Amino acid sequence: MNNFPFLILLLLIPLAGSILVGYLGRDRSNETLAKQTALATAVLEFVVAIIMLIAYKPDGPRLQFTTSFGWIDSLGVKFSVGVDGIAIVMIGLVGLLVPIVMIASWHRDSLGDDTNEPGSEDEIAPPKGSVSRMFAWILLLEVFMVGVFAATDVFLFYVLFEVMLVPMYFIIGAYGSAKRRAAAMKFFIYSLVGGLVMLASVIGLYVISRQQLGNATFSWDALRQLDLSHTQQMWLFLGFFVAFAIKAPLVPFHTWLPKAGAEAPIAGGLLLIGILDKVGTFGFLRYCLPLFPWASQKIAPLVLVLAVIGIFYASFQAIGEKDIKRFVTYTSIAHFGFIALGIFAFTTTAGVGAVLYMVNHGIATGLLFLIVGMVIRRGGSRNIADYGGLFRVAPILSGLFLLASLAALALPGTNSFVSEFLVLIGAYATVPVFTIIASVGIVFSAIYALWIFQRAATGPESALVVARKKVFGDLNKREIGVLTPLVILIFAIGIYPKPVLDIITPSVEATLQIDVGVHDPAPTIAKPAALSINGGAK
């Protein structure tokens, strides 16, 4: 099935669904039908993604399910897509989270919390847009998210990297909380500026490819063959790095995320933290390391410093945060510090752990963000101090809140533990000092994860909980159905991660050993039988 056009299908399904749902949503009498159509589209996309995952061969060619046809022939631009083990697991995560956020946002009152930051005044009235229109934007966003992970033409990647800002801008700006417009604008400007910096490097690669190859090209595979000087590598690397560091987000490029994540509706915030942020770390692996191996190693110490600073800075911010949604965004920034550590440690074990961390973060933090949204919807406040005693009125919700908190601190048996352990044990072989310092950050993750749960769920019932006890209640069937897949995956990957590791490992090995050319001193992860990285050799 390697010749089956899975990726084209995965792009066309949500695109067609977005157009159809947008058309149906024009008439409010078709609201239910439009939502059902959107969910059916998302489920179909997930099914196709699972079939593609099953058909993927870890011991096969490096890039699989490739499709390429002319797009802008005069510039050598092709519409080329293909996946390796890193990209395919990220596309699988996209397929999983989109139907989940749709079901979680099925009713109008679940789109946003209609509150502002604690202690501040509302800026504008709560949003009034229809759910179906937001679903249309989500499906359009899904097209670009799948495309950005699948693109094997650098110009195509750049275009998708930029245009995926548009659906998220409208999701935040039209359906978020009271300060949604300012948050959407900050998100858009930061990401757009990063993309424009990357464009300069994309143009630079194009010019150099014409000089060295005779024909200018944006092909990722062809650009890996370029013989770039150290100076060229450094300048071109920095253009890509700035864009990816903003998207990731690494400290100090992170300032847009707390605002955007807090003001976005629950669906938008989950996709922002669970998927869009991963485009940055994916970009490090797909573009920075293979295209600029020397520069990546030279800049690595600086990146590691930023990663460690981010772990501690974000942990301290999370511990003192009053806004429960901003709390989740800061925990994500801390987790991205570990992902960056794994990528720039340049060992197979740490790299595999970083990719697995990207997947696990989307699952575990997705669960936490959904639960936080359910708490806010019941209490009508984002202020952590307003809550207390949730266990007395909503024991199932509180129990899952505890599970999400434990997964956030990487408790053994949960999926986050596997990825964090791999990052640390792999990074210690090459950067022991940074690894030891980062390990201390785990203590602070335990503090902020358990502190938020203690303040919100334990102790006597707060005045707000008492006043709204009639509307609090425990999880309903729809909410249980939304959370159950994520709970299952947290334990499934935590107990038996081998199927995912078997997919990821060959691609990480190819990136580090063939593209970067680094020696791997760390113990290697057990690889699938007859491991092959055909098609990766230069």
Side-chain angles (χ1 to χ4, degrees):
M1 299 182 69
N2 195 43
N3 295 324
F4 189 82
F6 282 109
L7 295 172
I8 299 299
L9 195 59
L10 288 172
L11 293 171
L12 292 178
I13 290 173
L15 178 61
S18 175
I19 296 172
L20 180 58
V21 172
Y23 176 78
L24 292 174
R26 296 171 59 190
D27 187 347
R28 287 298 181 96
S29 64
N30 292 329
E31 178 77 1
T32 300
L33 177 61
K35 292 193 297 182
Q36 292 171 343
T37 302
L39 180 58
T41 302
V43 171
L44 177 60
E45 178 86 348
F46 178 57
V47 171
V48 174
I50 291 298
I51 295 173
M52 183 177 68
L53 270 167
I54 295 172
Y56 181 81
K57 298 178 180 179
D59 59 348
R62 184 171 179 181
L63 291 177
Q64 300 181 32
F65 312 118
T66 56
T67 301
S68 180
F69 50 86
W71 184 19
I72 309 176
D73 293 334
S74 60
L75 297 178
V77 179
K78 294 182 179 295
F79 192 96
S80 300
V81 291
V83 291
D84 61 0
I86 302 170
I88 198 169
V89 294
M90 296 309 303
I91 292 174
L93 183 63
V94 173
L96 170 71
L97 292 183
V98 169
I100 287 177
V101 300
M102 284 185 177
I103 299 173
S105 306
W106 196 255
H107 299 299
R108 181 64 194 84
D109 62 356
S110 61
L111 288 184
D113 48 68
D114 296 346
T115 63
N116 207 353
E117 298 178 44
S120 64
E121 295 297 327
D122 284 357
E123 188 177 82
I124 48 180
K128 300 297 183 183
S130 69
V131 176
S132 63
R133 290 182 182 177
M134 190 183 75
F135 284 3
W137 284 119
I138 290 176
L139 288 174
L140 185 60
L141 178 63
E142 187 172 23
V143 177
F144 302 142
M145 290 190 296
V146 171
V148 82
F149 290 123
T152 57
D153 182 279
V154 177
F155 186 79
L156 174 63
F157 171 84
Y158 167 75
V159 170
L160 294 171
F161 183 89
E162 291 288 64
V163 297
M164 72 178 181
L165 304 178
V166 176
M168 182 55 71
Y169 171 83
F170 283 105
I171 290 172
I172 298 173
Y175 299 94
S177 302
K179 291 188 175 181
R180 59 191 183 272
R181 292 179 182 171
M185 184 60 68
K186 188 171 185 178
F187 157 77
F188 191 89
I189 291 175
Y190 265 66
S191 298
L192 181 64
V193 169
L196 291 176
V197 174
M198 181 172 66
L199 178 60
S201 290
V202 171
I203 295 173
L205 283 172
Y206 179 80
V207 173
I208 295 172
S209 71
R210 173 178 291 173
Q211 296 170 350
Q212 293 192 12
L213 303 177
N215 295 317
T217 181
F218 288 104
S219 168
W220 175 80
D221 194 57
L223 293 175
R224 290 189 303 126
Q225 317 301 325
L226 297 179
D227 183 16
L228 301 174
S229 69
H230 290 174
T231 301
Q232 289 173 331
Q233 281 202 41
M234 187 61 70
W235 283 108
L236 296 174
F237 170 89
L238 289 174
F240 280 87
F241 176 79
V242 169
F244 297 149
I246 291 173
K247 185 71 71 177
L250 285 180
V251 173
F253 305 97
H254 70 287
T255 56
W256 62 270
L257 180 60
K259 189 70 174 179
E263 300 300 329
I266 295 303
L270 193 152
L271 294 176
L272 182 64
I273 295 173
I275 302 294
L276 264 69
D277 289 357
K278 310 301 189 306
V279 174
T281 47
F282 173 81
F284 291 148
L285 287 163
R286 174 56 68 85
Y287 295 98
C288 288
L289 270 61
L291 300 182
F292 321 111
W294 179 86
S296 297
Q297 295 176 75
K298 287 298 180 181
I299 296 294
L302 173 61
V303 180
L304 294 172
V305 169
L306 296 179
V308 171
I309 290 175
I311 292 171
F312 284 90
Y313 166 79
S315 296
F316 291 144
Q317 288 290 110
I319 291 171
E321 185 55 61
K322 297 179 180 179
D323 186 318
I324 195 169
K325 288 176 74 175
R326 288 173 66 95
F327 162 82
V328 178
T329 65
Y330 279 117
T331 66
S332 294
I333 294 172
H335 291 153
F336 273 94
F338 285 101
I339 296 174
L341 172 65
I343 293 172
F344 287 90
F346 295 107
T347 69
T348 301
T349 304
V352 170
V355 177
L356 184 62
Y357 212 132
M358 290 159 61
V359 176
N360 286 338
H361 176 266
I363 295 170
T365 304
L367 177 65
L368 180 60
F369 207 84
L370 287 172
I371 290 172
V372 163
M374 293 171 184
V375 170
I376 293 172
R377 188 165 64 250
R378 287 163 166 79
S381 172
R382 283 166 32 191
N383 193 346
I384 299 173
D386 288 339
Y387 295 95
L390 290 181
F391 239 125
R392 300 173 184 270
V393 296
I396 299 177
L397 174 61
S398 300
L400 292 178
F401 193 171
L402 177 60
L403 172 62
S405 301
L406 295 176
L409 63 85
L411 182 76
T414 63
N415 60 341
S416 301
F417 171 77
V418 180
S419 45
E420 193 168 280
F421 179 77
L422 290 174
V423 166
L424 294 176
I425 196 174
Y428 185 80
T430 53
V431 286
V433 174
F434 288 107
T435 306
I436 292 171
I437 297 173
S439 299
V440 177
I442 297 175
V443 176
F444 295 100
S445 68
I447 293 174
Y448 66 64
L450 296 178
W451 179 234
I452 181 71
F453 175 76
Q454 183 185 42
R455 285 186 287 174
T458 64
E461 299 171 16
S462 67
L464 182 145
V465 173
V466 172
R468 298 177 64 90
K469 185 175 292 188
K470 292 183 178 179
V471 299
F472 249 94
D474 215 333
L475 296 178
N476 56 43
K477 292 181 180 180
R478 178 179 61 86
E479 292 170 330
I480 292 175
V482 166
L483 301 179
T484 297
L486 299 179
V487 172
I488 292 173
L489 286 172
I490 284 175
F491 287 114
I493 298 177
I495 296 171
Y496 191 66
K498 186 177 183 298
V500 185
L501 295 178
D502 285 351
I503 295 174
I504 295 170
T505 302
S507 296
V508 174
E509 270 194 336
T511 298
L512 295 176
Q513 297 181 13
I514 295 177
D515 295 334
V516 183
V518 295
H519 175 66
D520 189 359
T524 57
I525 298 170
K527 299 186 283 284
L531 175 63
S532 169
I533 45 178
N534 297 331
K538 291 187 178 181

